[in-house]
Amino acid sequence: MREKSEGLFYNVDWLTVTIYLLLMMMGWFNIYSAVYDPVKSDVFNMERLESKQLLFAVLSILLAFSILIIDASFFTVSAYALYGGVVLLNLLVLVAGTEIKGSHSWFKVGGFTFQPGEFAKWATALALAKFMSGVNPANLKKSVWTALGILGLPMAIIMVLQDETGVALVFSAFTIVLYREGIIQGWWLLVGLGIVLCVVLGIKYQDNFVYYAGSVVAIGIASLLFIRRRFKNILIVLFGVVFFIGALFAGPKVLEKMPEHQAGRIKVWLGLPVSQAIEDRYGYNTRQSMIAIGSGGAMGKGYLEGTQTKFRFVPEQETDFIFCTVGEEWGFAGSALVVLLYTILIVRLVFMAERQRSDFTRIYGYAVAAVLFFHLVINVGMTIGIIPVIGIPLPFFSYGGSSLISFTILVFIFVKLDSQRLLVLR
Amino acid sequence: MNQESRKFFIAGFALLVAVLYVVRLFYVQIVDDKYKLDARNQAFLYVTDYPPRGAIYDRNGKLLVYNQVAYDLMVVPRDLKNCDTAGLCKILNITIEDFKSRLKRLSGSLDFARQDYRSHIFESQMLPELNARIQERLYKFDGFYVQSRTVRKYPTPIAAHLLGYIGEVDDRITRKDKYYKSGDYIGKSGIEKGYEEYLRGKKGVQIKMRDVHNNIKGSFKNGLYDTASVPGLSLMSTLDADLQLYVEQLLQNKIGGLAAIDPTTGEILALVTSPTYDPNLLVGRDFPKNYSMLLQDTLGRPLFNRALQAMYPPGSTFKLMNSLIGLQEGTLTPQTTYGCARGFPLLGGKPKCHPHGSPTDLEGAIATSCNSYFSYVYKAIIDNNKVTRDTKDGYERWRQYVLSFGVGEKLGTDLPFDAKGIVPTSKYYDKVFGKNAWKALTLSGVGLGIGQGELSVTPLQMCNIVCAIANRGHFYTPHIIRSVGKDPKPLPQWAIKHQTMVTNKQHFEAVVQGMSSVMTAGTGRGVNVPELDMCGKTGTAQNPHGDDHSVFVCFAPRNNPKICVAVLVENAGYGSAWAAPIASLTIERYLTGKTNRPEMEKNMMEGDLIHKHPAGKKQTTH
């Protein structure tokens, strides 16, 4: 339903749009530098990545306009349809897709490739918002399995069938949305984190189980002192203690079951003793990326002056490791600014989500914030050695049309929904 | 819990992570320098441009040392992956195990070698022929490159100790001095060490950038930080190459040293130690082998520069010094006479003396080298009641005179490792004889009047004393380098005139008169060349290590002296036997350019005191 006189940009959140444009512009300049060649660099040569990315940026802006033109109700109405379509697309790619780097997750159209897994992020966000906004608060707890199913379906397809672990892991970010909506409780997240921590500790300190097992028991006893000592509570604590110790012991087994490249990355990340060959193969990326970032110093080496990135010491420097170019050429000033801009954007999105009268918009907004946050944490974290190497792009920065366009869609659907926050109660 | 309040947890968590990441970035980019170093090692190739080392010339412009090109085979261990190791080993004539152990030594461990980006010298100082064979197939030896260096070359094999040698710098120096990097050469002795900073020039460096495949991608910032090398400065030495060679021949097969100095400037004309060695031995790849060979000669000790570093009792030549001090103190006049009873009467004939006319005046005593006379002279100096309070005071006063002639302390010459000599302090005698339990006679008894006792000087110091006498009271610091670079002006420090404490020229004339008599009528008459107007003094230095050392000091001409010489031949007996002829020939050669005494010359050159040691004789001191 069209309202009286509002224009295209009526009630658009300009801070979000500005940061979006800023990040995309900075990203493009850094891609230009990452693939820089004094002879071949050319903004208008479609063989070159910098000009392809420029095209993607123009397309993204056009797409953003289109989304602002479309009535917001389109997204609420067709949320499930879009979700279903994207899930089908992700299945279709298994048979109709082109194999790139060993995975069947890409469509090839003309000179361009396109990864439907990226689209699943906003489609799943829409479906989740649609479902959860319709749940009767009385049935909140029962709806958890459906909600998990909505995000688990594309996750499973992408992880298991397409073998794109990095892309699939992004869906776990939606648990933040479930937490905000009260579908899952805080302690679920704590337990989840605890399990991950126990598995990691189990892998790292295989020989020192006894200390960690002891710590778990101690935490268990301590929590017994604080809870009301009813039989049920004591039972839960006992169960928890056994569970966490189990996770500790499971750690090395989990590692064994992992594919070689994942196990290798995790071993190198945890600093476990590995053969020189493993170190060279799986430690190389992180080492080179940290050298590039670390050598940037306070103010960086200057635009187009990076030696580590320009001379291709850093692999995947225009895509997953684009942050290295920022760190090397712009130094701490540049890299901290980028982290700061993302953080402002994420906090702004949370703020915008909270100002909605519509449950749908709020849930969708949280999904957008969660996805961006997850990408930031994983991508930047891996370049500075905090997180093992997981191949996901830095939103708006990394080279690639699929990711830039789907992040644009993801953000601008929310900008559109938010712009109508005063008009409707969805 | 209120659901809405969860927004604070969520936003707070995002902020917490952001802060954590910014802190981490701060640490990696600003606090920790490790990554900057790694980046430089990976992306930069530092190509050192070694300047040619300065040449050294003798006083007549004759070349003493110059450079020849040699090649170092350099290795970057990280880049060895596709190297034809077997082929290289074959050319270098080493086994694969040798290859691995060298790599291990250079990188620390074979594991580390895989990521070692530094350049190391794998094989140093290859001659052009070997280099050519390697260059031919260098494209197969990934990780290796050849860098040209210069090594020293000596057209005439003389003055090995003066010129010194260069060698790879050791860790102690690379840690202290940032200019030197492991593998660089540095002067280790002689002029090479003393003038290292002039000779070495300044290394240049080109910073090249390379990509991950080790392809050179041009200069860093277009060469903004590159520096050009500056060639080393050449040195003009004071050495007379002809004289040096001549004296080296005279001293061959003898152990000892000779110093010849131009007294008007302090320029060292010749400084010879024997046995010596061919300086070309300590060059290039054979350096270690030859060096250890020279080290193993423990009898001749050819690496030891006796003229500069060996400390000998001066023997009777020191009587000149005591004469001068006595005259200056007023305890001696040229007319003073003392008797001799085949020895010093006051101590029952000790030290002993040889038969000669008695009593004598000063001139006669110098000419005959009377031991008794100078024991009296010495006692009188120490017991100079007019000015000294006690024996100790008298001794210290005497000691100051001796020090003023450049003995007992470093002369300040430009050759490294020179010895100080010994003039004991009064504390020393307090220790030996007990506090205040020694008198002037005690010291005459140990032989301080006749250049024995604990007195020790180097041949160079001995010669410097002669210079002071020839100049009638002053000397210039003996030195081997006159000027540096293109500027022919002598270095300013050599113009400083050192006045001795004997200030009255009359006193010198009296002593010089005695030295002249030595040549015309005394112990040196056998080697006199009348037309050269020589003045000399023999010495026969007793020493605890064996037969007496043969010593001779002299200068010529008597008025307006041009050369001073001091010679010491170890365990060769009388000063007149070996040292005097050698000194006399040296002066003749220098002043006239030739020698007219072929038989004496032949005897000296062919005399072999090392392999056929002369039968030891018990002598008195001359």
Side-chain angles (χ1 to χ4, degrees):
Chain A
M1 67 186 190
R2 269 199 179 276
E3 293 298 319
K4 356 167 196 172
S5 62
E6 84 262 34
L8 184 56
F9 298 123
Y10 177 75
N11 254 349
V12 158
D13 188 75
W14 284 110
L15 181 61
T16 305
V17 174
T18 307
I19 294 178
Y20 162 82
L21 289 173
L22 211 53
L23 287 173
M24 192 165 67
M25 188 187 76
M26 288 164 74
W28 184 81
F29 276 102
N30 278 288
I31 289 167
Y32 183 89
S33 177
V35 300
Y36 179 71
D37 183 307
V39 183
K40 294 185 195 149
S41 271
D42 183 356
V43 179
F44 301 107
N45 175 354
M46 274 302 138
E47 301 288 303
R48 300 280 308 167
L49 297 189
E50 65 269 26
S51 67
K52 281 190 183 177
Q53 183 72 5
L54 190 61
L55 180 70
F56 298 146
V58 171
L59 281 176
S60 296
I61 291 170
L62 290 177
L63 205 57
F65 271 112
S66 323
I67 291 169
L68 292 181
I69 291 169
I70 298 170
D71 191 287
S73 59
F74 168 76
F75 300 106
T76 54
V77 170
S78 53
Y80 286 140
L82 287 168
Y83 175 76
V86 168
V87 168
L88 279 179
L89 218 51
N90 273 287
L91 289 169
L92 192 64
V93 77
L94 294 169
V95 283
T98 316
E99 191 175 314
I100 292 179
K101 289 181 195 159
S103 81
H104 266 283
S105 60
W106 298 82
F107 284 115
K108 194 162 184 195
V109 184
F112 294 96
T113 53
F114 150 69
Q115 192 175 27
E118 292 288 343
F119 279 29
K121 292 170 194 167
W122 55 261
T124 306
L126 282 175
L128 209 56
K130 176 85 174 175
F131 169 70
M132 280 160 53
S133 58
V135 170
N136 182 335
N139 297 330
L140 207 58
K141 293 202 168 154
K142 288 179 196 160
S143 67
V144 62
W145 298 112
T146 319
L148 288 176
I150 290 174
L151 62 93
L153 178 64
M155 189 172 175
I157 294 172
I158 293 169
M159 173 132 46
V160 180
L161 301 179
Q162 296 181 3
D163 198 19
E164 286 280 359
T165 316
V167 179
L169 282 178
V170 175
F171 292 85
S172 59
F174 291 127
T175 51
I176 296 176
V177 184
L178 302 187
Y179 165 69
R180 166 62 185 86
E181 293 307 308
I183 290 180
I184 57 177
Q185 303 305 314
W187 65 266
W188 285 44
L189 294 178
L190 285 179
V191 167
L193 276 176
I195 291 169
V196 172
L197 194 67
C198 282
V199 169
V200 168
L201 287 174
I203 295 171
K204 179 150 174 82
Y205 300 104
Q206 306 187 2
D207 306 328
N208 298 323
F209 275 149
V210 65
Y211 301 115
Y212 292 96
S215 322
V216 173
V217 172
I219 291 170
I221 292 170
S223 47
L224 276 181
L225 297 176
F226 284 95
I227 57 172
R228 275 171 295 171
R229 266 173 247 171
R230 279 192 303 191
F231 181 69
K232 189 181 150 203
N233 286 345
I234 295 171
L235 213 59
I236 288 172
V237 168
L238 277 179
F239 178 76
V241 166
V242 171
F243 190 74
F244 282 119
I245 291 176
L248 272 175
F249 278 89
K253 305 282 181 298
V254 171
L255 192 69
E256 274 171 34
K257 289 280 186 293
M258 278 186 181
E260 193 207 327
H261 70 278
Q262 287 174 2
R265 287 169 178 179
I266 285 174
K267 282 182 191 164
V268 171
W269 171 60
L270 289 175
L272 295 179
V274 289
S275 71
Q276 191 66 41
I278 300 261
E279 167 72 37
D280 283 351
R281 186 142 175 222
Y282 301 116
Y284 181 83
N285 290 17
T286 306
R287 198 173 67 233
Q288 291 300 340
S289 129
M290 291 189 66
I291 289 173
I293 292 173
S295 66
M299 301 309 294
K301 298 177 185 173
Y303 188 55
L304 302 180
E305 299 287 347
T307 51
Q308 306 313 108
T309 46
K310 209 161 48 161
F311 298 143
R312 312 211 71 82
F313 287 97
V314 181
E316 304 284 340
Q317 50 181 305
E318 70 278 3
T319 56
D320 294 349
F321 284 91
I322 188 70
F323 193 68
C324 296
T325 308
V326 181
E328 186 180 16
E329 297 190 344
W330 303 96
F332 176 71
S335 51
L337 176 70
V338 169
V339 171
L340 189 70
L341 280 177
Y342 275 111
T343 310
I344 293 173
L345 178 62
I346 289 159
V347 173
R348 178 69 184 174
L349 290 172
V350 170
F351 170 81
M352 285 162 67
E354 288 292 347
R355 72 183 175 190
Q356 305 302 322
R357 278 183 280 175
S358 146
D359 288 343
F360 182 94
T361 310
R362 182 184 67 245
I363 294 164
Y364 183 80
Y366 263 102
V368 175
V371 168
L372 290 180
F373 179 64
F374 189 86
H375 273 269
L376 175 73
V377 169
I378 299 294
N379 183 282
V380 174
M382 83 176 172
T383 62
I384 55 180
I386 291 180
I387 283 179
V389 175
I390 296 170
I392 62 170
L394 186 60
F396 319 121
F397 256 73
S398 290
Y399 171 80
S402 306
S403 80
L404 182 58
I405 287 170
S406 34
F407 281 122
T408 303
I409 296 172
L410 182 76
V411 169
F412 275 85
I413 289 177
F414 182 57
V415 170
K416 179 66 190 176
L417 289 169
D418 172 70
S419 71
Q420 299 186 348
R421 63 188 176 274
L422 301 175
L423 306 179
V424 285
L425 185 63
R426 261 183 278 271
Chain B
M1 195 200 288
N2 178 8
Q3 275 175 33
E4 211 185 308
S5 69
R6 290 182 175 182
K7 69 185 176 190
F8 296 115
F9 285 95
I10 293 169
F13 183 62
L15 286 171
L16 184 73
V17 169
V19 169
L20 179 75
Y21 275 31
V22 169
V23 168
R24 171 76 171 172
L25 282 167
F26 186 82
Y27 179 77
V28 168
Q29 298 191 286
I30 295 180
V31 179
D32 196 340
D33 278 338
K34 181 174 79 188
Y35 303 107
K36 293 169 190 68
L37 195 68
D38 283 347
R40 258 176 266 154
N41 284 339
Q42 283 189 355
F44 291 167
L45 184 67
Y46 294 86
V47 181
T48 309
D49 186 7
Y50 290 98
R53 206 172 165 83
I56 305 173
Y57 298 90
D58 93 333
R59 63 189 296 111
N60 301 315
K62 197 173 157 190
L63 195 56
L64 295 174
V65 54
Y66 65 100
N67 300 307
Q68 66 178 351
V69 69
Y71 303 89
D72 287 346
L73 182 61
M74 309 295 291
V75 63
V76 179
R78 184 192 70 124
D79 302 332
L80 283 174
K81 281 171 195 126
N82 302 315
C83 178
D84 174 14
T85 314
L88 183 67
C89 288
K90 210 173 155 203
I91 296 180
L92 290 176
N93 199 17
I94 58 173
T95 64
I96 299 278
E97 280 68 41
D98 291 340
F99 183 94
K100 281 186 180 155
S101 74
R102 277 194 205 187
L103 208 57
K104 199 175 163 189
R105 182 167 50 79
L106 294 174
S107 288
S109 77
L110 287 178
D111 259 354
F112 182 66
R114 289 159 180 279
Q115 41 174 307
D116 187 357
Y117 294 93
R118 298 168 301 172
S119 296
H120 303 278
I121 297 178
F122 189 78
E123 178 85 12
S124 71
Q125 304 187 353
M126 302 184 299
L127 292 177
E129 187 264 344
L130 181 58
N131 175 46
R133 278 168 53 205
I134 294 206
Q135 291 283 4
E136 226 165 66
R137 303 181 59 192
L138 199 58
Y139 69 94
K140 282 188 166 179
F141 306 146
D142 277 8
F144 282 96
Y145 65 94
V146 171
Q147 184 167 278
S148 71
R149 295 287 291 273
T150 55
V151 294
R152 292 307 231 179
K153 178 85 182 165
Y154 306 88
T156 356
I158 56 163
H161 299 85
L162 290 179
L163 297 171
Y165 57 88
I166 57 172
E168 272 185 40
V169 67
D170 58 39
D171 298 347
R172 218 160 19 93
I173 291 170
T174 52
R175 274 197 297 270
K176 268 198 317 221
D177 187 340
K178 266 174 63 190
Y179 179 84
Y180 297 100
K181 297 275 172 291
S182 179
D184 284 359
Y185 295 134
I186 188 172
K188 296 259 186 181
S189 72
I191 295 170
E192 300 277 19
K193 182 181 171 69
Y195 287 86
E196 166 70 13
E197 279 178 30
Y198 299 99
L199 287 169
R200 73 185 181 194
K202 196 164 176 297
K203 283 186 293 189
V205 66
Q206 288 173 287
I207 308 174
K208 308 265 196 204
M209 296 188 295
R210 55 182 176 186
D211 69 4
V212 67
H213 307 297
N214 215 20
N215 299 320
I216 299 296
K217 293 294 207 180
S219 286
F220 177 55
K221 302 242 178 198
N222 286 324
L224 186 62
Y225 297 104
D226 292 3
T227 51
S229 68
V230 180
L233 294 173
S234 57
L235 304 178
M236 184 65 74
S237 84
T238 63
L239 197 72
D240 185 316
D242 171 69
L243 189 69
Q244 176 81 13
L245 174 63
Y246 181 69
V247 176
E248 285 186 13
Q249 288 169 343
L250 288 176
L251 276 176
Q252 68 193 355
N253 291 321
K254 297 158 202 73
I255 296 177
L258 176 146
I261 297 176
D262 178 346
T264 60
T265 54
E267 292 180 350
I268 295 173
L269 303 170
L271 192 68
V272 178
T273 177
S274 183
T276 181
Y277 63 92
D278 180 347
N280 287 305
L281 286 177
L282 297 188
V283 165
R285 291 177 74 196
D286 292 332
F287 181 107
K289 194 182 78 194
N290 292 332
Y291 189 82
S292 69
M293 180 196 81
L294 292 172
L295 266 186
Q296 275 160 21
D297 182 355
T298 49
L299 175 69
R301 294 211 282 154
L303 290 170
F304 181 49
N305 187 352
R306 292 181 166 79
L308 190 67
Q309 294 166 284
M311 298 194 289
Y312 299 108
S316 301
T317 60
F318 208 69
K319 290 168 182 170
L320 304 172
M321 173 82 79
N322 283 333
S323 307
L324 289 167
I325 299 171
L327 290 167
Q328 180 73 27
E329 285 284 272
T331 58
L332 174 70
T333 67
Q335 291 73 40
T336 309
T337 57
Y338 290 114
C340 171
R342 294 284 185 92
F344 183 36
L346 298 189
L347 287 171
K350 279 189 177 171
K352 285 196 280 186
C353 197
H354 55 95
H356 60 80
S358 170
T360 59
D361 62 2
L362 178 61
E363 182 184 343
I366 291 175
T368 58
S369 197
C370 177
N371 285 343
S372 173
Y373 189 94
F374 289 99
S375 298
Y376 277 114
V377 168
Y378 189 73
K379 179 182 179 301
I381 294 169
I382 304 299
D383 286 342
N384 185 1
N385 293 327
K386 272 179 269 169
V387 286
T388 60
R389 291 191 307 271
D390 55 15
T391 309
K392 193 187 248 179
D393 190 28
Y395 177 78
E396 283 297 345
R397 197 173 160 81
W398 170 82
R399 186 170 179 272
Q400 289 309 314
Y401 273 106
V402 177
L403 294 185
S404 77
F405 280 81
V407 180
E409 274 166 15
K410 289 213 177 208
L411 270 173
T413 173
D414 51 352
L415 286 164
F417 307 128
D418 55 327
K420 293 201 310 196
I422 299 170
V423 186
T425 60
S426 54
K427 279 203 188 88
Y428 172 81
Y429 290 110
D430 275 346
K431 224 184 269 170
V432 175
F433 299 110
K435 204 163 170 63
N436 299 325
W438 43 284
K439 297 279 159 234
L441 268 180
T442 326
L443 301 179
S444 288
V446 301
L448 289 183
I450 58 171
Q452 295 292 151
E454 290 77 11
L455 279 174
S456 285
V457 300
T458 65
L460 184 67
Q461 286 175 323
M462 239 185 271
C463 190
N464 187 56
I465 297 171
V466 182
C467 287
I469 296 171
N471 288 337
R472 274 68 165 176
H474 64 270
F475 65 88
Y476 299 92
T477 306
H479 56 275
I480 193 70
I481 295 302
R482 177 193 293 156
S483 60
V484 167
K486 292 205 171 79
D487 184 359
K489 264 210 336 267
L491 295 168
Q493 63 265 40
W494 308 140
I496 299 168
K497 187 169 161 180
H498 301 282
Q499 179 62 47
T500 64
M501 281 168 64
V502 179
T503 47
N504 190 333
K505 296 205 173 188
Q506 293 288 306
H507 303 330
F508 284 98
E509 290 304 339
V511 169
V512 168
Q513 177 57 41
M515 292 175 76
S516 184
S517 296
V518 167
M519 304 307 289
T520 54
T523 49
R525 63 188 178 277
V527 298
N528 192 27
V529 184
E531 58 275 24
L532 295 181
D533 204 1
M534 293 160 72
C535 301
K537 179 73 193 81
T538 54
T540 306
Q542 294 170 355
N543 69 92
H545 311 297
D547 292 340
D548 296 345
H549 299 324
S550 175
V551 191
F552 196 76
V553 299
C554 59
F555 70 90
R558 174 173 174 171
N559 297 312
N560 201 10
K562 292 198 160 51
I563 178 171
C564 298
V565 176
V567 195
L568 187 143
V569 185
E570 287 186 22
N571 311 120
Y574 291 113
S576 52
W578 292 96
I582 289 171
S584 171
L585 287 167
T586 304
I587 286 191
E588 187 184 9
R589 175 81 171 205
Y590 181 70
L591 291 179
T592 67
K594 57 187 190 316
T595 49
N596 284 326
R597 291 171 286 178
E599 197 176 340
M600 182 192 279
E601 194 172 277
K602 185 164 173 282
N603 287 341
M604 288 302 120
M605 285 189 181
E606 291 178 0
D608 186 343
L609 302 186
I610 295 183
H611 307 97
K612 295 176 287 184
H613 209 270
K617 300 168 215 136
K618 200 80 201 129
Q619 298 111 333
T620 49
T621 313
H622 276 237

